[in-house]
């Protein structure tokens, strides 16, 4: 083994692949309904123009790579105010009350989904598609979910360095707390479950060898919504992809709450053990590049100066790094240093940043001499092409 290590350090074979620098994503419902429409209070406890400008400053200071926002209705200019210097954005569909038929709301919908995406300028948007939910419930009650074209966006991205990624941003039907407690939220739940099915049926045929991030205000709890059976398990049943929820993986060791269990409200269990309505999931091809979750948190400093919440949601963020098979030291390049890293692992020498998934080159669940042989062959083959 010492001879192998010596050979590796002398002969550094270089194979450049797509860079795997860590990147961050965040989702935030910006609570952007107008505080008043004419003289009628609508969202008078919302952040308003001043609060949305503060939200823009907050997001710009955090410097997330990709941001998905929901309820971006009335204060879009304020939301862009601090972001536009550093970020590009997707389509904003606008919001106007000028043509609102006040006394005939049946059948009326605002022609907007309230969604928008921002990404740092070093990244590139390849394409963006918007899809409206087939089912929604509530026009003058039940959170008014059917008063606008709620749905989801699919954004194809190329990150700085060349790696491609697909991002979904969405806003699902809500349930009012009093309706839940009285058992009157079954229409809301039925609409939301229909949305999970629609999302699944849209996502699966479009999956390829790129990692996928699914995030937004999903208004869903694992304890009341069948997210596992409606979305996660059917995708994994293809045998070609794995699906993870950042909160479940990072804070619960991969254990999903059971449907029917008591709800894990954040105000009772805290923002790590408590379940948020806002979620970040990710999908990775079994044989392709893998996203590794490095960090997940709910941003508790999203507040006014007096410490009160800036809106009715908080930003939820996740930090990832992308890993390719063979990139054992996760530096974004597959070369002789990965062979050395794997060799050190085999003789019991710990290496910072070591990825066991990347080191298992033949994907048989065991890291051994076969993997190092295959890796040496792959590196040698790549340097000759």
């Amino acid at each position: 083994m010492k001879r192998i290590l010596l050979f590796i350090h002398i002969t550094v074979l270089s194979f450049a692949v797509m860079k795997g620098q860590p990147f961050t994503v965040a989702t935030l419902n910006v609570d952007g309904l107008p505080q008043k429409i004419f003289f009628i209070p609508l969202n008078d406890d919302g952040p308003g123009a001043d609060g949305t400008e503060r939200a823009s400053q907050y997001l710009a200071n955090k410097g997330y790579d990709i941001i998905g926002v929901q309820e971006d209705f009335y204060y879009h200019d304020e939301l862009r105010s601090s972001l536009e210097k550093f970020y590009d954005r997707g389509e904003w569909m606008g919001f106007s009350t000028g043509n609102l038929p006040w006394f005939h709301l049946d059948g009326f919908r605002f022609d907007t989904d309230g969604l928008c995406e921002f990404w740092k300028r070093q990244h590139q948007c390849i394409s963006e598609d918007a899809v409206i939910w087939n089912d929604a419930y509530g026009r003058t009650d039940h959170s008014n979910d059917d008063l606008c074209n709620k749905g989801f966006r699919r954004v194809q991205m190329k990150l700085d360095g060349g790696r491609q990624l697909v991002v979904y941003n969405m806003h699902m039907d809500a349930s009012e707390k009093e309706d839940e407690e009285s058992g009157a939220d079954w229409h809301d739940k039925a609409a939301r479950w229909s949305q999970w099915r629609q999302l699944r049926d849209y996502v699966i045929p479009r999956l390829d060898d790129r990692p996928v991030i699914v995030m937004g205000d999903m208004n869903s709890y694992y304890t009341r919504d069948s997210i596992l059976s409606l979305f996660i398990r059917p995708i994994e049943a293809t045998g070609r992809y794995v699906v993870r929820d950042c909160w479940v993986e990072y804070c619960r060791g991969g254990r999903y709450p059971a449907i029917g269990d008591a709800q894990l409200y954040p105000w009772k269990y805290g923002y790590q053990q408590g379940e948020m309505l806002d979620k970040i999931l990710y999908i990775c091809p079994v044989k392709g590049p893998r996203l590794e979750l490095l960090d997940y948190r709910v941003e508790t400093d999203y507040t006014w100066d007096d410490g009160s919440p800036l809106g009715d949601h908080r930003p939820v963020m996740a930090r990832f790094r992308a890993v390719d098979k063979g990139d054992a030291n996760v530096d974004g390049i597959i070369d002789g240093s990965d062979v050395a890293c794997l060799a050190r692992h085999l003789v019991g020498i710990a290496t910072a940043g070591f990825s066991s998934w990347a080191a298992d080159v033949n994907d048989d669940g065991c890291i051994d001499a076969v993997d190092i042989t295959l890796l040496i062959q792959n590196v040698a083959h790549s340097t000759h092409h």
Side-chain angles (χ1 to χ4, degrees), residues 69-181:
V69 299
Q70 307 84 42
E71 291 195 15
D72 180 15
F73 292 124
Y74 202 68
Y75 303 104
H76 183 71
D77 288 343
E78 288 83 356
L79 184 62
R80 292 176 54 198
S81 58
S82 294
L83 291 171
E84 60 185 356
K85 182 177 180 180
F86 308 102
Y87 289 80
D88 290 323
R89 66 174 176 88
E91 180 185 4
W92 179 63
M93 293 187 177
F95 183 82
S96 172
T97 60
N99 61 344
L100 182 61
W102 292 97
F103 302 106
H104 304 283
L105 289 178
D106 289 345
F108 175 81
R109 271 186 172 184
F110 289 105
D111 188 18
T112 182
D113 58 8
L115 301 173
C116 198
E117 300 76 43
F118 298 86
W119 54 87
K120 282 187 174 179
R121 290 225 165 91
Q122 62 262 39
H123 309 310
Q124 177 186 350
C125 174
I126 300 171
S127 69
E128 180 184 27
D129 298 296
V131 179
I132 300 171
W133 298 124
N134 294 331
D135 295 308
Y137 184 74
R139 190 165 295 276
T140 59
D141 56 6
H142 288 263
S143 300
N144 313 108
D145 289 303
D146 202 26
L147 264 181
C148 71
N149 291 325
K150 271 189 174 182
F152 63 87
R153 303 279 185 92
R154 179 179 187 260
V155 185
Q156 299 185 83
M157 302 286 304
K158 182 183 286 187
L159 300 181
D160 183 33
R163 186 176 298 277
Q164 292 196 24
L165 180 74
V166 179
V167 178
Y168 286 83
N169 176 31
M170 70 204 58
H171 194 185
M172 290 182 167
D173 262 45
S175 289
E176 299 284 359
K177 191 171 186 295
E178 55 270 21
D179 290 330
E180 285 188 71
E181 293 174 347

Side-chain angles (χ1 to χ4, degrees), residues 43 46 65 75 82 121 143 155 215 220 224 233 237 241 252 256 273 275 300 307 314 337 347 363-364 380:
N43 187 29
D65 287 282
Y75 303 104
S82 294
R121 290 225 165 91
S143 300
V155 185
M215 64 181 180
S220 301
R224 77 173 184 203
R233 297 301 184 229
Y241 301 94
R252 291 180 54 84
Y256 287 93
Q273 295 304 312
E275 182 178 4
T300 57
R314 296 179 185 271
S337 65
V347 297
D363 208 28
D364 66 350

Side-chain angles (χ1 to χ4, degrees), residues 243-353:
V243 187
R244 298 288 184 267
D245 179 301
C246 293
W247 170 67
V248 172
E249 180 179 356
Y250 197 81
C251 301
R252 291 180 54 84
R255 294 175 293 106
Y256 287 93
I259 192 165
D261 283 356
Q263 290 186 11
L264 303 172
Y265 292 117
W267 54 87
K268 183 176 181 180
Y269 293 94
Y271 285 105
Q272 292 297 96
Q273 295 304 312
E275 182 178 4
M276 302 291 290
L277 294 168
D278 314 273
K279 301 185 185 301
I280 303 175
L281 288 75
Y282 61 103
I283 305 169
C284 297
V286 170
K287 298 296 185 180
R290 180 72 59 93
L291 292 182
E292 288 191 351
L293 178 64
L294 303 176
D295 190 17
Y296 163 89
R297 65 176 178 269
V298 179
E299 303 286 25
T300 57
D301 60 345
Y302 182 68
T303 63
W304 293 98
D305 288 336
D306 63 3
S308 60
L310 192 51
D312 58 1
H313 290 252
R314 296 179 185 271
V316 176
M317 68 78 64
R319 185 163 66 96
F320 298 96
R321 65 179 178 183
V323 184
D324 293 284
K325 277 295 184 185
D327 188 12
N329 62 1
V330 198
D331 66 351
I333 302 173
I334 300 174
D335 59 10
S337 65
D338 296 294
V339 181
C341 178
L342 181 48
R344 287 194 295 270
H345 174 80
L346 290 177
V347 297
I349 301 174
T351 303

